[in-house]
Amino acid sequence: MTLHSLQKLLKKTGTGLSISRHILEESEGGSLTCSSVLGEGMQFTIALHLE
C-alpha cells in the first residue's frame, strides 16, 4: 500500500506522513514504507543509514 492509498483509506490529508517521509528520504537518506493486510492492520517501517 502506498502512502497515497493510505490517505484515501483513512480519509485524511496525510500531511504528517508526507512531511515525515520527506524528512527521512531527502534530509536523512532513509526511507518510510507502509504495508497492510486487510482486517489485520498496518506496519510502518523506517530505515536509516547509520554512519
Side-chain angles (χ1 to χ4, degrees):
M1 173 177 281
T2 66
L3 293 178
H4 180 71
S5 299
L6 178 62
Q7 292 168 359
K8 285 182 171 182
L9 175 68
L10 297 176
K11 297 180 174 88
K12 304 285 183 179
T13 61
T15 305
L17 284 175
S18 177
I19 291 170
S20 298
R21 186 173 140 211
H22 176 77
I23 291 169
L24 287 166
E25 292 180 354
E26 301 296 323
S27 300
E28 302 298 326
S31 65
L32 172 64
T33 57
C34 173
S35 61
S36 67
V37 176
L38 187 62
E40 290 187 21
M42 293 180 230
Q43 177 179 332
F44 293 91
T45 303
I46 297 172
L48 295 171
H49 297 284
L50 300 177
E51 296 183 278

Short mmCIF file of all heavy atoms in Angstrom, two decimals:
data_model
loop_
_atom_site.label_atom_id
_atom_site.label_comp_id
_atom_site.label_asym_id
_atom_site.label_seq_id
_atom_site.Cartn_x
_atom_site.Cartn_y
_atom_site.Cartn_z
N MET A 1 0.85 -1.17 0.00
CA MET A 1 0.00 0.00 0.00
C MET A 1 0.90 1.24 0.00
O MET A 1 1.85 1.32 0.76
CB MET A 1 -0.88 -0.01 1.25
CG MET A 1 -1.69 1.26 1.42
SD MET A 1 -2.81 1.23 2.84
CE MET A 1 -4.13 0.27 2.16
N THR A 2 0.58 2.16 -0.85
CA THR A 2 1.35 3.40 -0.89
C THR A 2 0.81 4.38 0.14
O THR A 2 -0.30 4.22 0.64
CB THR A 2 1.27 4.06 -2.28
OG1 THR A 2 -0.08 4.49 -2.49
CG2 THR A 2 1.70 3.11 -3.39
N LEU A 3 1.60 5.40 0.46
CA LEU A 3 1.14 6.41 1.41
C LEU A 3 -0.08 7.13 0.87
O LEU A 3 -0.98 7.50 1.61
CB LEU A 3 2.27 7.39 1.73
CG LEU A 3 3.44 6.80 2.51
CD1 LEU A 3 4.51 7.84 2.73
CD2 LEU A 3 3.00 6.21 3.84
N HIS A 4 -0.14 7.30 -0.46
CA HIS A 4 -1.30 7.96 -1.08
C HIS A 4 -2.56 7.12 -0.87
O HIS A 4 -3.62 7.65 -0.55
CB HIS A 4 -1.04 8.20 -2.56
CG HIS A 4 -2.19 8.87 -3.26
ND1 HIS A 4 -2.51 10.19 -3.04
CD2 HIS A 4 -3.09 8.40 -4.15
CE1 HIS A 4 -3.58 10.50 -3.77
NE2 HIS A 4 -3.95 9.43 -4.45
N SER A 5 -2.45 5.81 -1.02
CA SER A 5 -3.59 4.92 -0.81
C SER A 5 -4.04 4.96 0.65
O SER A 5 -5.22 4.93 0.94
CB SER A 5 -3.23 3.48 -1.17
OG SER A 5 -2.88 3.38 -2.52
N LEU A 6 -3.08 5.04 1.55
CA LEU A 6 -3.39 5.11 2.98
C LEU A 6 -4.17 6.38 3.28
O LEU A 6 -5.13 6.36 4.05
CB LEU A 6 -2.10 5.06 3.80
CG LEU A 6 -2.25 5.18 5.31
CD1 LEU A 6 -3.08 4.02 5.85
CD2 LEU A 6 -0.89 5.23 5.96
N GLN A 7 -3.80 7.47 2.66
CA GLN A 7 -4.50 8.74 2.86
C GLN A 7 -5.97 8.60 2.47
O GLN A 7 -6.86 9.05 3.18
CB GLN A 7 -3.85 9.85 2.04
CG GLN A 7 -2.48 10.24 2.53
CD GLN A 7 -1.74 11.13 1.54
OE1 GLN A 7 -2.26 11.45 0.47
NE2 GLN A 7 -0.54 11.53 1.89
N LYS A 8 -6.24 7.96 1.33
CA LYS A 8 -7.61 7.76 0.88
C LYS A 8 -8.38 6.86 1.84
O LYS A 8 -9.52 7.13 2.18
CB LYS A 8 -7.63 7.16 -0.52
CG LYS A 8 -7.29 8.10 -1.62
CD LYS A 8 -7.40 7.39 -2.95
CE LYS A 8 -7.28 8.33 -4.11
NZ LYS A 8 -7.45 7.64 -5.38
N LEU A 9 -7.74 5.78 2.30
CA LEU A 9 -8.38 4.83 3.19
C LEU A 9 -8.78 5.50 4.50
O LEU A 9 -9.88 5.29 5.00
CB LEU A 9 -7.44 3.65 3.48
CG LEU A 9 -7.92 2.63 4.49
CD1 LEU A 9 -9.10 1.85 3.93
CD2 LEU A 9 -6.79 1.70 4.86
N LEU A 10 -7.91 6.31 5.05
CA LEU A 10 -8.18 6.95 6.33
C LEU A 10 -8.96 8.26 6.18
O LEU A 10 -9.33 8.87 7.17
CB LEU A 10 -6.86 7.23 7.06
CG LEU A 10 -6.04 5.99 7.43
CD1 LEU A 10 -4.72 6.40 8.06
CD2 LEU A 10 -6.82 5.09 8.37
N LYS A 11 -9.19 8.68 4.93
CA LYS A 11 -9.91 9.92 4.64
C LYS A 11 -9.24 11.11 5.32
O LYS A 11 -9.88 11.97 5.90
CB LYS A 11 -11.37 9.80 5.04
CG LYS A 11 -12.11 8.74 4.25
CD LYS A 11 -13.56 8.66 4.67
CE LYS A 11 -14.32 7.71 3.79
NZ LYS A 11 -14.34 6.36 4.16
N LYS A 12 -7.93 11.13 5.26
CA LYS A 12 -7.13 12.20 5.85
C LYS A 12 -6.27 12.82 4.76
O LYS A 12 -6.08 12.25 3.70
CB LYS A 12 -6.21 11.66 6.96
CG LYS A 12 -6.91 10.93 8.06
CD LYS A 12 -7.61 11.88 8.98
CE LYS A 12 -8.24 11.11 10.13
NZ LYS A 12 -8.91 11.94 11.06
N THR A 13 -5.69 13.97 5.07
CA THR A 13 -4.79 14.61 4.11
C THR A 13 -3.44 13.92 4.08
O THR A 13 -2.73 13.98 3.09
CB THR A 13 -4.60 16.10 4.43
OG1 THR A 13 -4.01 16.22 5.72
CG2 THR A 13 -5.91 16.84 4.37
N GLY A 14 -3.05 13.29 5.19
CA GLY A 14 -1.77 12.60 5.22
C GLY A 14 -0.58 13.50 5.30
O GLY A 14 0.54 13.08 5.06
N THR A 15 -0.78 14.75 5.65
CA THR A 15 0.33 15.70 5.69
C THR A 15 1.44 15.24 6.62
O THR A 15 2.62 15.36 6.29
CB THR A 15 -0.18 17.10 6.12
OG1 THR A 15 -1.22 17.48 5.23
CG2 THR A 15 0.92 18.12 6.08
N GLY A 16 1.09 14.69 7.77
CA GLY A 16 2.10 14.24 8.72
C GLY A 16 3.00 13.16 8.14
O GLY A 16 4.22 13.21 8.29
N LEU A 17 2.41 12.19 7.46
CA LEU A 17 3.20 11.13 6.83
C LEU A 17 4.04 11.69 5.69
O LEU A 17 5.18 11.28 5.49
CB LEU A 17 2.30 10.02 6.30
CG LEU A 17 1.73 9.07 7.33
CD1 LEU A 17 0.76 8.10 6.67
CD2 LEU A 17 2.82 8.31 8.03
N SER A 18 3.48 12.61 4.94
CA SER A 18 4.21 13.21 3.83
C SER A 18 5.43 13.97 4.32
O SER A 18 6.52 13.84 3.76
CB SER A 18 3.27 14.14 3.05
OG SER A 18 3.98 14.77 2.01
N ILE A 19 5.26 14.75 5.36
CA ILE A 19 6.38 15.50 5.92
C ILE A 19 7.42 14.55 6.50
O ILE A 19 8.62 14.71 6.28
CB ILE A 19 5.88 16.49 7.00
CG1 ILE A 19 5.07 17.60 6.33
CG2 ILE A 19 7.04 17.08 7.79
CD1 ILE A 19 4.33 18.49 7.30
N SER A 20 6.97 13.52 7.22
CA SER A 20 7.89 12.54 7.80
C SER A 20 8.69 11.84 6.72
O SER A 20 9.91 11.68 6.83
CB SER A 20 7.12 11.50 8.62
OG SER A 20 6.44 12.11 9.68
N ARG A 21 8.00 11.43 5.67
CA ARG A 21 8.68 10.75 4.56
C ARG A 21 9.70 11.67 3.90
O ARG A 21 10.82 11.26 3.60
CB ARG A 21 7.65 10.27 3.55
CG ARG A 21 8.27 9.44 2.45
CD ARG A 21 7.19 8.85 1.58
NE ARG A 21 7.65 8.91 0.21
CZ ARG A 21 6.90 9.05 -0.84
NH1 ARG A 21 5.60 9.14 -0.70
NH2 ARG A 21 7.38 9.09 -2.03
N HIS A 22 9.33 12.92 3.69
CA HIS A 22 10.24 13.88 3.08
C HIS A 22 11.51 14.05 3.93
O HIS A 22 12.63 14.01 3.41
CB HIS A 22 9.56 15.23 2.88
CG HIS A 22 10.46 16.28 2.34
ND1 HIS A 22 10.82 16.32 1.01
CD2 HIS A 22 11.11 17.30 2.94
CE1 HIS A 22 11.65 17.33 0.83
NE2 HIS A 22 11.83 17.95 1.99
N ILE A 23 11.34 14.22 5.22
CA ILE A 23 12.49 14.38 6.11
C ILE A 23 13.38 13.15 6.07
O ILE A 23 14.60 13.24 5.94
CB ILE A 23 12.04 14.68 7.56
CG1 ILE A 23 11.39 16.06 7.63
CG2 ILE A 23 13.20 14.56 8.54
CD1 ILE A 23 10.68 16.35 8.93
N LEU A 24 12.77 11.97 6.18
CA LEU A 24 13.55 10.74 6.18
C LEU A 24 14.30 10.52 4.87
O LEU A 24 15.46 10.13 4.87
CB LEU A 24 12.65 9.53 6.46
CG LEU A 24 12.17 9.40 7.90
CD1 LEU A 24 11.05 8.40 7.99
CD2 LEU A 24 13.32 8.98 8.79
N GLU A 25 13.62 10.74 3.75
CA GLU A 25 14.23 10.45 2.45
C GLU A 25 15.17 11.55 1.97
O GLU A 25 16.27 11.26 1.52
CB GLU A 25 13.15 10.19 1.41
CG GLU A 25 12.40 8.90 1.68
CD GLU A 25 11.32 8.61 0.66
OE1 GLU A 25 11.06 9.46 -0.22
OE2 GLU A 25 10.72 7.52 0.74
N GLU A 26 14.74 12.80 2.05
CA GLU A 26 15.53 13.89 1.48
C GLU A 26 16.64 14.36 2.41
O GLU A 26 17.74 14.64 1.96
CB GLU A 26 14.61 15.07 1.13
CG GLU A 26 13.53 14.73 0.13
CD GLU A 26 14.09 14.33 -1.23
OE1 GLU A 26 15.09 14.92 -1.66
OE2 GLU A 26 13.50 13.42 -1.85
N SER A 27 16.36 14.46 3.69
CA SER A 27 17.33 15.00 4.63
C SER A 27 18.24 13.94 5.23
O SER A 27 19.41 14.20 5.49
CB SER A 27 16.62 15.75 5.76
OG SER A 27 15.84 16.80 5.25
N GLU A 28 17.69 12.77 5.48
CA GLU A 28 18.44 11.74 6.21
C GLU A 28 18.89 10.57 5.33
O GLU A 28 19.63 9.71 5.79
CB GLU A 28 17.60 11.20 7.38
CG GLU A 28 17.16 12.27 8.36
CD GLU A 28 18.34 12.95 9.04
OE1 GLU A 28 19.37 12.29 9.27
OE2 GLU A 28 18.22 14.16 9.33
N GLY A 29 18.42 10.50 4.09
CA GLY A 29 18.82 9.41 3.21
C GLY A 29 18.20 8.07 3.58
O GLY A 29 18.70 7.02 3.19
N GLY A 30 17.11 8.09 4.32
CA GLY A 30 16.45 6.86 4.73
C GLY A 30 15.18 6.62 3.94
O GLY A 30 15.00 7.15 2.84
N SER A 31 14.28 5.83 4.51
CA SER A 31 13.01 5.55 3.83
C SER A 31 11.92 5.27 4.86
O SER A 31 12.19 4.89 6.00
CB SER A 31 13.15 4.35 2.90
OG SER A 31 13.42 3.17 3.64
N LEU A 32 10.69 5.48 4.42
CA LEU A 32 9.50 5.19 5.21
C LEU A 32 8.57 4.41 4.31
O LEU A 32 8.19 4.88 3.24
CB LEU A 32 8.82 6.49 5.66
CG LEU A 32 7.45 6.37 6.33
CD1 LEU A 32 7.55 5.60 7.63
CD2 LEU A 32 6.85 7.74 6.57
N THR A 33 8.24 3.19 4.70
CA THR A 33 7.34 2.36 3.90
C THR A 33 6.17 1.90 4.77
O THR A 33 6.25 1.89 5.99
CB THR A 33 8.05 1.12 3.32
OG1 THR A 33 8.61 0.36 4.40
CG2 THR A 33 9.15 1.52 2.36
N CYS A 34 5.11 1.53 4.10
CA CYS A 34 3.89 1.08 4.78
C CYS A 34 3.40 -0.18 4.09
O CYS A 34 3.36 -0.26 2.87
CB CYS A 34 2.84 2.18 4.69
SG CYS A 34 1.23 1.68 5.31
N SER A 35 3.03 -1.17 4.89
CA SER A 35 2.41 -2.37 4.33
C SER A 35 1.18 -2.68 5.18
O SER A 35 1.12 -2.33 6.35
CB SER A 35 3.38 -3.55 4.32
OG SER A 35 3.79 -3.86 5.64
N SER A 36 0.20 -3.33 4.55
CA SER A 36 -1.02 -3.64 5.30
C SER A 36 -1.64 -4.95 4.82
O SER A 36 -1.40 -5.40 3.71
CB SER A 36 -2.04 -2.51 5.13
OG SER A 36 -2.49 -2.45 3.81
N VAL A 37 -2.41 -5.53 5.71
CA VAL A 37 -3.19 -6.72 5.40
C VAL A 37 -4.62 -6.39 5.84
O VAL A 37 -4.85 -6.04 7.01
CB VAL A 37 -2.66 -7.96 6.15
CG1 VAL A 37 -3.55 -9.16 5.90
CG2 VAL A 37 -1.23 -8.25 5.76
N LEU A 38 -5.54 -6.47 4.90
CA LEU A 38 -6.93 -6.13 5.17
C LEU A 38 -7.46 -6.89 6.38
O LEU A 38 -7.32 -8.11 6.47
CB LEU A 38 -7.79 -6.42 3.94
CG LEU A 38 -9.24 -5.97 4.01
CD1 LEU A 38 -9.33 -4.46 4.17
CD2 LEU A 38 -9.98 -6.39 2.76
N GLY A 39 -7.99 -6.18 7.33
CA GLY A 39 -8.55 -6.78 8.53
C GLY A 39 -7.54 -7.09 9.62
O GLY A 39 -7.92 -7.47 10.72
N GLU A 40 -6.25 -6.90 9.33
CA GLU A 40 -5.23 -7.20 10.33
C GLU A 40 -4.50 -5.96 10.82
O GLU A 40 -4.07 -5.90 11.96
CB GLU A 40 -4.21 -8.20 9.77
CG GLU A 40 -4.80 -9.58 9.59
CD GLU A 40 -3.77 -10.60 9.19
OE1 GLU A 40 -2.57 -10.39 9.44
OE2 GLU A 40 -4.16 -11.62 8.61
N GLY A 41 -4.30 -4.99 9.96
CA GLY A 41 -3.61 -3.77 10.39
C GLY A 41 -2.53 -3.33 9.42
O GLY A 41 -2.40 -3.86 8.32
N MET A 42 -1.78 -2.31 9.86
CA MET A 42 -0.73 -1.71 9.04
C MET A 42 0.59 -1.76 9.79
O MET A 42 0.63 -1.75 11.01
CB MET A 42 -1.05 -0.25 8.75
CG MET A 42 -2.24 -0.05 7.89
SD MET A 42 -2.50 1.70 7.64
CE MET A 42 -4.22 1.78 8.05
N GLN A 43 1.67 -1.78 9.01
CA GLN A 43 3.01 -1.75 9.58
C GLN A 43 3.80 -0.68 8.86
O GLN A 43 3.85 -0.65 7.63
CB GLN A 43 3.71 -3.09 9.41
CG GLN A 43 5.12 -3.09 9.91
CD GLN A 43 5.78 -4.45 9.76
OE1 GLN A 43 5.12 -5.48 9.78
NE2 GLN A 43 7.08 -4.45 9.61
N PHE A 44 4.39 0.23 9.63
CA PHE A 44 5.26 1.25 9.08
C PHE A 44 6.69 0.87 9.38
O PHE A 44 7.00 0.46 10.50
CB PHE A 44 4.95 2.62 9.69
CG PHE A 44 3.60 3.15 9.33
CD1 PHE A 44 2.49 2.89 10.11
CD2 PHE A 44 3.43 3.91 8.18
CE1 PHE A 44 1.24 3.38 9.77
CE2 PHE A 44 2.19 4.40 7.83
CZ PHE A 44 1.09 4.13 8.62
N THR A 45 7.56 0.98 8.39
CA THR A 45 8.96 0.65 8.57
C THR A 45 9.81 1.87 8.23
O THR A 45 9.65 2.47 7.18
CB THR A 45 9.37 -0.51 7.64
OG1 THR A 45 8.51 -1.63 7.90
CG2 THR A 45 10.81 -0.92 7.87
N ILE A 46 10.67 2.23 9.17
CA ILE A 46 11.59 3.35 8.97
C ILE A 46 12.98 2.77 8.89
O ILE A 46 13.40 2.00 9.76
CB ILE A 46 11.52 4.33 10.15
CG1 ILE A 46 10.12 4.96 10.23
CG2 ILE A 46 12.59 5.41 10.03
CD1 ILE A 46 9.89 5.79 11.46
N ALA A 47 13.70 3.12 7.82
CA ALA A 47 15.07 2.65 7.64
C ALA A 47 15.98 3.87 7.57
O ALA A 47 15.74 4.79 6.79
CB ALA A 47 15.20 1.82 6.38
N LEU A 48 17.03 3.88 8.40
CA LEU A 48 18.01 4.96 8.41
C LEU A 48 19.40 4.37 8.22
O LEU A 48 19.69 3.28 8.73
CB LEU A 48 17.95 5.73 9.72
CG LEU A 48 16.68 6.50 10.01
CD1 LEU A 48 16.71 7.03 11.45
CD2 LEU A 48 16.51 7.64 9.03
N HIS A 49 20.26 5.11 7.56
CA HIS A 49 21.65 4.69 7.40
C HIS A 49 22.44 5.18 8.60
O HIS A 49 22.37 6.36 8.97
CB HIS A 49 22.24 5.28 6.11
CG HIS A 49 21.56 4.79 4.88
ND1 HIS A 49 21.77 3.53 4.37
CD2 HIS A 49 20.65 5.37 4.08
CE1 HIS A 49 21.02 3.36 3.29
NE2 HIS A 49 20.33 4.48 3.10
N LEU A 50 23.15 4.29 9.25
CA LEU A 50 23.99 4.66 10.38
C LEU A 50 25.41 4.82 9.90
O LEU A 50 25.93 4.00 9.15
CB LEU A 50 23.92 3.57 11.47
CG LEU A 50 22.52 3.30 12.03
CD1 LEU A 50 22.59 2.16 13.05
CD2 LEU A 50 21.97 4.55 12.70
N GLU A 51 26.03 5.86 10.39
CA GLU A 51 27.43 6.10 10.00
C GLU A 51 28.35 5.66 11.09
O GLU A 51 28.09 5.72 12.23
CB GLU A 51 27.65 7.58 9.69
CG GLU A 51 26.83 8.01 8.51
CD GLU A 51 27.08 9.45 8.15
OE1 GLU A 51 26.49 10.32 8.79
OE2 GLU A 51 27.89 9.66 7.22
#
